[in-house]
Amino acid sequence: KYSLIMGIMLFMATLGIMMFGFFGYHAWLVSRNITSNESFKWSDAKEWYQDNDKMDEFRQQRHVYDLGFVANWKEVLFPPIINRPASDKKKK
């Protein structure tokens, strides 16, 4: 009788752990202001620099869009308005 409920609870707990990991990964991406594609490319670049004994050059590389932890989160939660709505534009 309770085996179905326990199975569902185990399944939901597993999904919860997976979703927590997914959220954690994306929170890390937001904190560094990078996309998942960029994170894989940076890891490949780091591996190349390590293989060629050029880690000093790699450490000098800087991600130009990384504004810092707080500013990155602020940009995601309150994105800057690039284009004003047509109703706000001054009529000539």
Side-chain angles (χ1 to χ4, degrees):
K1 181 178 178 179
Y2 293 108
S3 62
L4 178 63
I5 293 173
M6 292 304 290
I8 291 173
M9 287 178 62
L10 179 64
F11 177 70
M12 295 302 287
T14 303
L15 285 179
I17 292 168
M18 290 171 51
M19 290 301 293
F20 181 75
F22 184 74
F23 172 77
Y25 176 64
H26 283 83
W28 176 77
L29 290 174
V30 167
S31 299
R32 299 199 50 217
N33 204 5
I34 60 175
T35 64
S36 55
N37 187 28
E38 288 173 321
S39 74
F40 290 114
K41 287 184 179 183
W42 277 102
S43 65
D44 288 345
K46 183 178 181 179
E47 185 178 321
W48 184 87
Y49 279 100
Q50 283 176 338
D51 291 345
N52 293 296
D53 294 325
K54 296 183 178 187
M55 281 304 291
D56 291 334
E57 292 178 29
F58 178 77
R59 288 186 188 101
Q60 293 173 0
Q61 301 290 328
R62 184 177 172 277
H63 188 303
V64 295
Y65 298 110
D66 187 3
L67 305 174
F69 182 83
V70 174
N72 290 343
W73 275 99
K74 191 184 293 185
E75 187 175 17
V76 168
L77 297 174
F78 309 104
I81 297 173
I82 296 172
N83 294 322
R84 291 183 295 171
S87 61
D88 290 348
K89 292 182 180 177
K90 293 181 181 179
K91 296 179 181 177
K92 294 184 180 181

